[in-house]
Amino acid sequence: MTPEDIRRAVPREAFVPDTLWIRQDDGWAVPITRQEHPEEWTRLVCDDEQPVITQVDDGVADKGIWPTSSGSSPEIMADMIDALDVRPGLRVLEIGTGTGYNAAVLATVVGAGNVTTVEIAPEIAAHARAALGRAGYPVNLVIADGVGGYAPGAPYDRIIVTAAAHRIPAAWIRQTRPGGVIVVPWAPTFHPDWPLCRLTVRPDGTAAGRFLGPASFMPLRGQRLPQSVIHDTERRWRQAGEPACTRYGITVTDREQRIWLDVPDNVVA
């Protein structure tokens, strides 16, 4: 799937809210509205390579520093959907509804009745629910903390996460069928590129996979990291010779998770 495929399948404009946030030279992010800045709003929405920021600092201020919700770019959506290997009829759980756009695109592939999407923020979920309804994609939208997945809809063939993690919750593995796939962006705990992880769940309840390439996302609310960890990761990565993120893999059991370089026996985190 390409960004062009995604745009042809579902118009992004139907899901992006009227208020977006842009970064100023002084570092603060401030809002712009579709009504007051239609050309800038349209330019941001039509950029296939960049996300749009839809909330900062958990929505508690008129300006902010940290993006806390966004609409993914069609480019990264295409990469993640390709990694997910979705096909008609597969049951998909999405962690992090955001604008609802990704859920709508997934629905065009697997069918709206096969998509469950979980959003932690009620106000964000309300916007997505309305947009999905207007566009005709009646997916199952649940307001909850996505770390717990959504057991009533399990088992799933695929789980896609639109926020960065650095620990794989056991619920995600339990709720995925053996042979099913989990795609999740990874926080910079071992590599500064925030790499995308693709895990396959095994019949014994473990999971393993590799990292595919850069995929920077905002972190899950319960897995945010201090800046010191991010700086330390880059330092350690440089000391290791700056290995490509695609050389790393991960194994997850019910007791631990191990990140390794090149081969599973070479554990680095």
Side-chain angles (χ1 to χ4, degrees), residues 234-242:
E234 182 159 6
R235 177 186 58 79
R236 289 186 288 107
W237 171 72
R238 293 192 184 282
Q239 290 175 345
E242 302 184 7

Side-chain angles (χ1 to χ4, degrees), residues 55 57-59 68-70 93-100 116-129 140-150 161-163 172 218-224:
Q55 185 192 72
D57 293 358
D58 294 327
T68 49
S69 190
S70 68
L93 174 65
E94 178 189 43
I95 307 298
T97 310
T99 65
T116 296
T117 181
V118 179
E119 172 57 51
I120 193 171
E123 69 279 11
I124 294 173
H127 167 84
R129 193 186 304 278
N140 181 29
L141 195 161
V142 179
I143 300 174
D145 188 341
V147 168
Y150 185 64
V161 186
T162 62
W172 295 356
M218 299 165 200
L220 288 165
R221 291 197 180 186
Q223 295 195 25
R224 292 171 177 169

Side-chain angles (χ1 to χ4, degrees), residues 14 39 44 62 66 71 74 80 85 90 92 96 158 169 174 184 201 207:
E39 293 183 0
L44 293 169
D62 293 333
W66 303 112
M80 293 179 71
D85 186 26
L90 294 185
V92 180
R158 303 287 188 269
R174 285 197 306 267
V184 53
V201 175

Side-chain angles (χ1 to χ4, degrees), residues 3-60:
E4 292 75 22
D5 294 332
I6 287 175
R7 280 196 171 278
R8 282 194 294 267
V10 183
R12 193 183 191 195
E13 296 86 340
F15 289 87
V16 175
D18 288 344
T19 299
L20 298 177
W21 296 77
I22 58 172
R23 185 79 64 186
Q24 293 184 310
D25 292 340
D26 61 4
W28 288 100
V30 297
I32 66 164
T33 66
R34 186 177 192 175
Q35 293 75 20
E36 295 179 354
H37 302 89
E39 293 183 0
E40 177 69 358
W41 187 93
T42 299
R43 183 189 67 79
L44 293 169
V45 173
C46 291
D47 187 341
D48 283 347
E49 297 181 359
Q50 298 297 325
V52 290
I53 300 172
T54 58
Q55 185 192 72
V56 295
D57 293 358
D58 294 327
V60 298

Side-chain angles (χ1 to χ4, degrees), residues 112-194:
N114 289 317
V115 177
T116 296
T117 181
V118 179
E119 172 57 51
I120 193 171
E123 69 279 11
I124 294 173
H127 167 84
R129 193 186 304 278
L132 287 160
R134 288 193 300 267
Y137 297 103
V139 306
N140 181 29
L141 195 161
V142 179
I143 300 174
D145 188 341
V147 168
Y150 185 64
Y156 302 98
D157 300 293
R158 303 287 188 269
I159 293 181
I160 183 170
V161 186
T162 62
H166 60 88
R167 297 186 305 275
I168 297 294
W172 295 356
I173 296 176
R174 285 197 306 267
Q175 294 173 23
T176 304
R177 295 182 190 276
V181 172
I182 301 171
V183 171
V184 53
W186 206 263
T189 57
F190 69 92
H191 197 286
D193 277 353
W194 300 70

